[in-house]
Amino acid sequence: MSTTGQLRRANTAAVLQSLRRLGPASRAGLAQRTGLAKATVGAIVADLEEAGAVVEALVDDAPAAPARGRPSRPLSLRAGSHLGLGLELNVDYVSAVVVDLAGDVLTSESRPAGEDRLGVLLGLAAEVRAAHPGRLLGTTVAVPALVRDDDRTVAWAPNLPLRGDSLVAEVAAALGCPPADVRVVNDANCAAYAEAHHGAARGVDHALYLTGTVGIGAGIVVGGQLVQGGAGFAGEVGHMPVGDPTAPCGCGRRGCWEASIGLLAVLDALGMAELDTPLTTAEAVAARAADDLAARATVERVGEDLGLGLAILAGVLDPAVVVLGGYFVPLGELVLGPARRVLDARLASDVQVRPELRLGTLDLRAAALGAAEQSLARVLTGTADLPTT
């Protein structure tokens, strides 16, 4: 049985989601959309107006006022009033994205990380926050790591010197906010959430997202929500024993999937240097493969190992769509073609359906965008109140 507070939060979330997904509406229109009583919607709207979250919309095609009674004015979410901040700390770049309650991206920026990754991230976070003074509902940091289900403790980060919960305190200090307002979440989960709500997996009920950076991780989305497993560690696929069994991995073992298909593995095989970001590096790889048959064969081998791992995941998870992000995007058909061929050959039965392989559409901002959305999620799902002061 829901408590009064839980019911109020759920009803408020229903109104917010309606305005976000379907656009402006009158109070009567919101009642019709959500199935809530008009009096309930009126009370919720009054609270949202007090919080500064809604405003009377200025739309050219607003419905005409009724002949008698109070005119029915459409309401919309106030742009930039309540914000979610998403950050990503990765091996060779950092990112920041600001999203408002309406789902509009107000800022999206990535920078090379250099040696002082954390310092660059904290500086970027402070700059972005200063540029957007709206009410910050939360900050989420995406990291390529296993993060415990407290959403603050890094349990294992094979490619970064991260451990424990110190990242929360440092980000909170840089932003001048309470540590309780900062979360840490796996980067693949964040990117998967972004692609499901803004990108290549939008409208897909069962999707798998695969990162493509130094590390390889997966995010699993069912019905628009993340599948995180018993301890929150679901999707740690980069260390499956797939591919070259002799290839050394950053985790200290050999034969991990990311040791065969991760960006550094590709660069080592080609004798190429890493550039500023995974995308610019992959563009250089694709340009070389266009003219160099040996380089093309190397990239095709990566595609085959990619398909081998995806065949295992497809057999276990049965996703309708697999979205490939990061450095896979510039390589495109160079890896997609071989991956499809291996998938077709490895499916155990002809009744199985090969998942559709799609390239991510959100480039390096995917994880930070998903992190920003995660910062709003508790209010939008009714598990937290929208602050009124």
Side-chain angles (χ1 to χ4, degrees):
M1 180 75 67
S2 296
T3 67
T4 301
Q6 289 172 328
L7 183 59
R8 175 177 46 78
R9 285 193 293 270
N11 291 341
T12 299
V15 170
L16 291 172
Q17 290 278 15
S18 178
L19 290 172
R20 185 182 226 232
R21 294 173 178 172
L22 302 176
S26 66
R27 290 164 177 80
L30 286 169
Q32 186 174 21
R33 284 183 189 177
T34 61
L36 298 173
K38 291 181 180 180
T40 300
V41 170
I44 290 171
V45 167
D47 288 341
L48 294 177
E49 287 179 321
E50 181 183 355
V54 298
V55 64
E56 289 187 349
L58 299 175
V59 292
D60 294 336
D61 57 351
R68 290 182 295 175
R70 181 181 176 182
S72 181
R73 298 296 299 272
L75 299 160
S76 67
L77 293 169
R78 184 187 295 272
S81 64
H82 291 74
L83 309 173
L85 173 59
L87 305 172
E88 181 183 9
L89 176 64
N90 216 305
V91 176
D92 43 15
Y93 68 94
V94 300
S95 298
V97 172
V98 177
V99 175
D100 67 11
L101 271 178
D104 293 327
V105 178
L106 307 183
T107 286
S108 178
E109 185 173 349
S110 294
R111 294 178 181 174
E115 293 297 322
D116 184 18
R117 300 180 187 91
L118 182 57
V120 175
L121 178 73
L122 297 178
L124 177 59
E127 289 178 29
V128 167
R129 177 60 179 141
H132 296 281
R135 178 63 185 258
L136 189 61
L137 297 183
T139 298
T140 302
V141 188
V143 294
L146 292 181
V147 182
R148 298 198 183 278
D149 55 10
D150 61 0
D151 288 340
R152 61 185 294 118
T153 305
V154 176
W156 184 56
N159 298 307
L160 283 176
L162 291 176
R163 190 84 175 187
D165 62 359
S166 61
L167 183 58
V168 167
E170 293 184 84
V171 170
L175 295 173
C177 69
D181 290 349
V182 179
R183 302 169 61 208
V184 179
V185 177
N186 173 265
D187 64 334
N189 283 340
C190 288
Y193 195 79
E195 291 286 1
H197 290 268
H198 289 263
R202 194 170 186 176
V204 177
D205 282 338
H206 295 81
L208 175 71
Y209 175 88
L210 202 68
T211 62
T213 57
V214 171
I216 300 295
I220 306 160
V221 180
V222 176
Q225 299 301 314
L226 290 168
V227 175
Q228 296 181 282
F233 295 165
E236 188 60 29
V237 301
H239 302 282
M240 297 189 304
V242 178
D244 180 359
T246 68
C249 181
C251 72
R253 292 171 291 187
R254 293 181 180 272
C256 295
W257 196 25
E258 73 178 43
S260 289
I261 69 167
L263 180 57
L264 292 185
V266 177
L267 295 179
D268 286 345
L270 295 175
M272 294 179 64
E274 189 175 4
L275 302 179
D276 287 345
T277 70
L279 295 186
T280 55
T281 303
E283 288 165 359
V285 171
R288 178 170 166 185
D291 300 320
D292 184 330
L293 291 179
R296 186 180 185 91
T298 295
V299 175
E300 288 181 349
R301 187 269 305 159
V302 169
E304 292 169 355
D305 285 341
L306 172 64
L308 187 61
L310 289 179
I312 297 171
L313 296 176
V316 174
L317 300 172
D318 190 27
V321 167
V322 175
V323 179
L324 302 176
Y327 94 89
F328 294 122
V329 176
L331 296 181
E333 284 298 321
L334 291 171
V335 293
L336 289 182
R340 290 191 193 101
R341 290 195 298 272
V342 170
L343 264 172
D344 285 339
R346 288 283 180 167
L347 291 177
S349 168
D350 58 8
V351 303
Q352 288 181 279
V353 178
R354 185 188 74 202
E356 180 184 351
L357 303 188
R358 298 180 183 177
L359 296 175
T361 61
L362 302 175
D363 57 59
L364 289 185
R365 71 178 181 148
L369 175 56
E373 286 285 6
Q374 288 281 294
S375 298
L376 301 175
R378 297 186 70 228
V379 167
L380 290 172
T381 57
T383 56
D385 287 309
L386 182 73
T388 58
T389 56

